Every structure is written in structure tokens, then in C-alpha cells.
């Protein structure tokens, strides 16, 4: 019972392929259950026959040599089963690739060692949005995610919503899916891409169309300059003095970090609305002002090998004031 409980615990939660939150993931989960049930049944019958052959009296055992068992069980049954599975799996594959439905929302995702850059290109009246390690999806809207890599091979995977797809340098891959259930999910890089591969996770939030539109409008706005003579203004000064803006963009609040070089110029995550994120460093730490200050000084201890320089020499007071500035970026 305890073992069953432990095993079933893997069937739910924000990152389970067995707790599907949309039609594509439902097809994949159904295929998985069909394969599991079929394999379990065939295993049970095979084991039954094995025990029969080993433990039955010799005259009874002789029946197992009959042609029906060899031709039927050895040739006809596997052929029919495999052909049926091929047809079924091909149909699931067609639905998973989603070539037939035309996407209503396009999102560009770029894999970096070790974080995800997320960009919603401008479409009609909808403004462009750039963020990191978070994906927002309107409910019941087919989305197309275009995947690129900035360095090595990564794999984009939101187990509860879609299949996984490799993100290969020099190539553009496309994955389509629809979120059918409101809520938060977890995505994870699924291809070993270096020491911090495990800390290359992202949050996915599926919400109503209205909430999504509001999110998009809020995130497309430039950041406000902090009030002069405040700790945040001192933090902004320190952010510029310590060259944070060389790698991080804060649209509006930091000079010289404008639009235009989105895919190559941004070496680190766009921080324009960082205070609205739920986590830091590819979900290494939950977002809080204290954790931002900690991350600035100790990021090489928290996520060794990441591209951000270590600022252990930075006075704690300065790190705190930078965190105060970043915390105004709502
Ligand atoms: Cu990126 Cu593993």
C-alpha cells in the first residue's frame, strides 16, 4: 500500500505527464496508459504460460506445443497488435504535432545555458513582451512555440501540456499545444546541457483570455524610474555603475538598454518586470527582495557555473539597494 501511494504520488502535480492540462497531453497520457495496460496484460499471460510449462505434468505440458500457440500466439497476435499500435500511435503523433490546427498565438523561446528567454512578438494590437523563465498562455487558444538555442542542445518540456522537443543550435523547431485547464504548471529542460541543467526550469501559467490580455499589456510597458533620493534610486545608480545593464535590460529605467538587439544583445534575462516573477535563476530561488540581494552576491554558490559574475566583493548594503531598485520593477 505504501509503495502504491509513493508511486501514485508521481501521477499528479504541476509537472506530471499523467495529469494532463490540455488535449495534446491527454492524447499522450492515453497512449501511455494503453501501452502500460497492454504490456501488463501480455506480461501476465506470458508468465502464466511459463509457469504452466514449468510446473504442470508432462502430459498436460505437451498441449503447449500445439500449432495454435505457436502460429496464433507467436505470429498472428504480435502482428495484429503491432499494426493496431502503429495506427493508433501514428494518429496520436499527428495530434501531438498539431499540424492541422492553425495557431492563434505565437511565442518565441530561446534556450540559454541555463535559462529560457521568452518573447511574444507584436501581433495586431497586441504589444511585444520579453520575459524570462515564465510562459503565460490564454486558455483554449492553440499556441505555437518557436524554439531556438543560443548555445547547446536543450529540450523544451512542459509535461502536463505537451510532448518534449529538442532545441538545437542553428535550427528552428516548432511545437504546438493548447492549455485546457487553468492553473500553474512547471516546465523543465529535458536534455542534459551542462552543470546546471536541472536549474533550467520555468513556470507556465494558463489563465482566461482577459487575464492574459491584461498581463500582456502590463508587461509591455516600460519600467518607471524610481523616485529620486530613494534607496531604489541609489540601487539604480549602483545597477548602472556595476555594469549590470551590460547583460540585463530594464526597458525605460536604464539608459542604453533599448529594443533592437533582442536575440543576441541580451546576455542575461530581461529584468523590466522582474519583481512580478515567482522565482529567480531558472527557479533556483523563490522571488523576494532578500533573495535578489542574496543572488547578486552568492549566485556562483547558488548556481555554480552560471554566466553571471560573482559579486561576493560587493558590499551587502549595495546589493540590498540594487535589490530595492529591482523590487520596484513591477
Ligand atoms: Cu538546458 Cu538542460
Amino acid at each position: 500500500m505504501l509503495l502504491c501511494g509513493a508511486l501514485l504520488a508521481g501521477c499528479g502535480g504541476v509537472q506530471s505527464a499523467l495529469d494532463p492540462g490540455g488535449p495534446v497531453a491527454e492524447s499522450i497520457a492515453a497512449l501511455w496508459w494503453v501501452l502500460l495496460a497492454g504490456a501488463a496484460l501480455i506480461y501476465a499471460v506470458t508468465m502464466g504460460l511459463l509457469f504452466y510449462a514449468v510446473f504442470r505434468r508432462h502430459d498436460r505440458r505437451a498441449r503447449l506445443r500445439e500449432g495454435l500457440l505457436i502460429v496464433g500466439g507467436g505470429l498472428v497476435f504480435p502482428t495484429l497488435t503491432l499494426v493496431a499500435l502503429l495506427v493508433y500511435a501514428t494518429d496520436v503523433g499527428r495530434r501531438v504535432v498539431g499540424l492541422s490546427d492553425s495557431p492563434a498565438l505565437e511565442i518565441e523561446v530561446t534556450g540559454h545555458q541555463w535559462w529560457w528567454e521568452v518573447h511574444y512578438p507584436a501581433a495586431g494590437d497586441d504589444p511585444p513582451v520579453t520575459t524570462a523563465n515564465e510562459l503565460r498562455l490564454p486558455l483554449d487558444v492553440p499556441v505555437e512555440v518557436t524554439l531556438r538555442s543560443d548555445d547547446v542542445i536543450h529540450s523544451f518540456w512542459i509535461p502536463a501540456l505537451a510532448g518534449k522537443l529538442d532545441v538545437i543550435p542553428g535550427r528552428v523547431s516548432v511545437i504546438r499545444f493548447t492549455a485546457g485547464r487553468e492553473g500553474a504548471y512547471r516546465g523543465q529542460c529535458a536534455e542534459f546541457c551542462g552543470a546546471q541543467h536541472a536549474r533550467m526550469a520555468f513556470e507556465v501559467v494558463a489563465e482566461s483570455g482577459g487575464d492574459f490580455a491584461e498581463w500582456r499589456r502590463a508587461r509591455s510597458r516600460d519600467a518607471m524610474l524610481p523616485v529620486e533620493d530613494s534607496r531604489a534610486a541609489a540601487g539604480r545608480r549602483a545597477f548602472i555603475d556595476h555594469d549590470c545593464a551590460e547583460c540585463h535590460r530594464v526597458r525605460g529605467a536604464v539608459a542604453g538598454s533599448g529594443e533592437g538587439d533582442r536575440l543576441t544583445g541580451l546576455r542575461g534575462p530581461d529584468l523590466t518586470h522582474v519583481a512580478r516573477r515567482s522565482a529567480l535563476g531558472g527557479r533556483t530561488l523563490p522571488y523576494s527582495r532578500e533573495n535578489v540581494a542574496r543572488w547578486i552576491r552568492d549566485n556562483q554558490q547558488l548556481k555554480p557555473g552560471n554566466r553571471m559574475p560573482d559579486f561576493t566583493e560587493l558590499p551587502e548594503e549595495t546589493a540590498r539597494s540594487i535589490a530595492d531598485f529591482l523590487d520596484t520593477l513591477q
Side-chain angles (χ1 to χ4, degrees):
M1 286 292 279
L2 274 175
L3 185 66
C4 281
L7 289 174
L8 284 173
C11 299
V14 293
Q15 196 184 311
S16 174
L18 299 180
D19 188 9
V24 167
E26 271 162 22
S27 300
I28 295 172
L31 174 69
W32 190 86
W33 285 112
V34 166
L35 289 177
L36 177 72
L41 191 69
I42 292 169
Y43 180 76
V45 170
T46 310
M47 284 295 126
L49 287 170
L50 178 70
F51 282 108
Y52 189 90
V54 171
F55 295 113
R56 275 302 195 173
R57 283 210 323 271
H58 180 262
D59 54 328
R60 294 270 191 98
R61 244 166 34 201
R63 289 187 205 162
L64 289 181
R65 279 197 218 125
E66 280 165 19
L68 181 69
L69 191 72
I70 306 300
V71 177
L75 285 172
V76 178
F77 177 73
T79 307
L80 290 179
T81 311
L82 291 176
V83 167
L85 279 179
L86 177 69
V87 172
Y88 174 46
T90 307
D91 182 55
V92 171
R94 193 182 50 77
R95 267 178 282 156
V96 167
V97 175
L99 288 181
S100 46
D101 10 294
S102 51
L105 175 67
E106 285 175 35
I107 308 173
E108 297 169 7
V109 171
T110 306
H112 300 266
Q113 278 175 319
W114 293 278
W115 60 285
W116 299 95
E117 179 185 342
V118 179
H119 181 71
Y120 294 72
D125 292 341
D126 296 326
V129 170
T130 301
T131 179
N133 304 321
E134 62 166 349
L135 209 62
R136 288 277 172 153
L137 306 168
L139 273 187
D140 300 320
V141 171
V143 296
E144 177 175 282
V145 179
T146 307
L147 299 162
R148 290 179 180 83
S149 170
D150 184 41
D151 34 49
V152 300
I153 301 178
H154 303 277
S155 182
F156 181 85
W157 194 28
I158 312 167
L161 290 181
K164 72 173 81 141
L165 192 64
D166 275 3
V167 184
I168 300 165
R171 273 179 59 173
V172 178
S173 318
V174 169
I175 189 167
R176 288 178 176 179
F177 55 91
T178 305
R181 194 182 68 209
E182 209 165 323
Y185 303 90
R186 191 175 187 274
Q188 168 68 46
C189 179
E191 175 77 29
F192 182 73
C193 54
Q196 298 300 334
H197 152 71
R199 293 195 181 94
M200 192 171 165
F202 55 103
E203 182 181 46
V204 183
V205 174
E207 58 195 0
S208 70
D211 287 349
F212 173 76
E214 198 175 303
W215 173 86
R216 189 171 182 154
R217 266 194 304 278
R219 285 312 185 1
S220 66
R221 281 185 208 120
D222 285 357
M224 302 288 281
L225 274 178
V227 183
E228 269 181 65
D229 299 329
S230 65
R231 274 178 65 90
R236 174 179 171 270
R237 192 71 258 154
F239 186 89
I240 296 168
D241 289 348
H242 291 279
D243 292 333
C244 305
E246 287 288 308
C247 298
H248 295 287
R249 187 175 63 174
V250 181
R251 247 182 314 109
V254 176
S257 55
E259 196 77 41
D261 51 358
R262 185 176 49 72
L263 285 176
T264 52
L266 279 174
R267 273 173 279 181
D270 186 303
L271 300 180
T272 308
H273 298 283
V274 66
R276 289 281 175 173
R277 290 194 198 133
S278 61
L280 297 168
R283 308 202 71 68
T284 301
L285 290 175
Y287 179 88
S288 71
R289 203 166 7 164
E290 292 69 40
N291 282 343
V292 172
R294 210 178 134 203
W295 173 265
I296 292 170
R297 296 178 80 232
D298 298 336
N299 73 80
Q300 288 301 332
Q301 279 76 51
L302 294 161
K303 191 173 177 178
N306 87 82
R307 295 282 162 85
M308 180 158 160
D310 213 348
F311 286 96
T312 33
E313 305 294 306
L314 198 70
E316 198 168 331
E317 186 54 30
T318 312
R320 283 184 181 282
S321 74
I322 294 176
D324 286 337
F325 162 58
L326 294 176
D327 200 51
T328 64
L329 304 176
Q330 301 277 340

